[in-house]
Amino acid sequence: LAPDDTLSAELQFMPDGEMTFSATLEISSDDPDQSELNISVSGAGTEMPVPVLSVSTNQIDFGTILSNGNATSQISLSNTGSDTLIISAITASNAVYLTEATLPITLLPGGSVTVNITFIPAASGVFNETLTITSNSVGSPFTLTLLGTSEAAISYSATVQPVWDERCAGCHGNNGGLSLGSYSQLMAGNSNNGPIVIPSNGAGSYLMKKLKGEVNNQMPQGGPFLSASTLADIEKWIDQGALDN
């Protein structure tokens, strides 16, 4: 340096861990009064801020529903990291699953949001799909398994009532006791055992227990008894909610 000149130097701190670092900066020169100048330096290394997406579950099972019906479940998306999380896309691999979310979703550290997922099958089938969540989180994208089955509704008028008309009308017509002449009469359950149909609970319904012979005398009285396939249709109709359809 020429007399009266000044030099500015930049010192960079690049820690390789989360800890405190101390060092001495040594400057050597031909200064006759102070040939060596020691400067103490220190700094602390901290974790680099990163967003981390946490999802409340990695699988949703919607069970079995009727085709053309719908079922909704929820997932919670949280930012468990130390920087702002931006969720840019939530995509199902099949359109039978619909997500309700306004994108992008921005979450500060510690923030969370609930997202609805609806299963809306238009036809019968098994729909095992994936939901992909894309964000700026480490490990993105996140994939979630979606499970759902839909089945066609058993028609009371086309499948169940004809069984009563053909096999049960002789004893259970419009005689003032348990009548099976119509849907409303069946559901009224005018018997000594109260309601004989519990919607959505075929196995627990007294009607099915009588038809299977699980209580007292099996019906139709004296036989021949209903086939396994007919029993299965009636029980499924009850499990589907015992609809007047």
Side-chain angles (χ1 to χ4, degrees), residues 24-29 34-39:
T24 300
L25 178 64
E26 297 181 355
I27 301 176
S28 300
S29 69
Q34 191 177 13
S35 59
E36 289 189 359
L37 178 63
N38 296 324
I39 302 174

Side-chain angles (χ1 to χ4, degrees), residues 48-198:
M48 179 178 293
V50 291
V52 178
L53 171 65
S54 295
V55 184
S56 56
T57 183
N58 58 13
Q59 178 176 294
I60 298 177
D61 189 347
F62 288 89
T64 300
I65 68 172
L66 297 181
S67 54
N68 294 313
N70 66 81
T72 299
S73 187
Q74 295 181 327
I75 56 172
S76 178
L77 308 179
S78 303
N79 181 5
T80 56
S82 54
D83 200 1
T84 300
L85 173 69
I86 300 175
I87 300 171
S88 55
I90 304 177
T91 307
S93 57
N94 190 313
V96 298
Y97 294 104
L98 176 67
T99 59
E100 299 176 22
T102 301
L103 299 170
I105 297 173
T106 301
L107 296 176
L108 298 176
S112 64
V113 66
T114 298
V115 174
N116 289 335
I117 303 171
T118 303
F119 177 38
I120 46 172
S124 302
V126 177
F127 300 91
N128 296 336
E129 306 292 342
T130 59
L131 185 73
T132 302
I133 304 173
T134 305
S135 70
N136 62 337
S137 170
V138 293
S140 180
F142 178 91
T143 56
L144 179 99
T145 300
L146 302 174
L147 306 175
T149 301
S150 66
E151 61 184 13
I154 298 294
S155 168
Y156 179 81
S157 60
T159 302
V160 180
Q161 186 61 51
V163 176
W164 310 149
D165 294 342
E166 179 182 348
R167 303 295 305 278
C168 306
C171 296
H172 297 284
N174 299 313
N175 56 9
L178 174 61
S179 298
L180 300 178
S182 68
Y183 173 83
S184 59
Q185 290 174 333
L186 168 67
M187 299 306 291
N190 295 325
S191 74
N192 295 329
N193 299 282
I196 61 173
V197 172
I198 304 174

Side-chain angles (χ1 to χ4, degrees), residues 13-22 42-48:
F13 176 46
M14 296 183 294
D16 58 1
E18 297 178 44
M19 57 185 293
T20 299
F21 297 85
S22 298
S42 63
T46 60
E47 179 183 10
M48 179 178 293

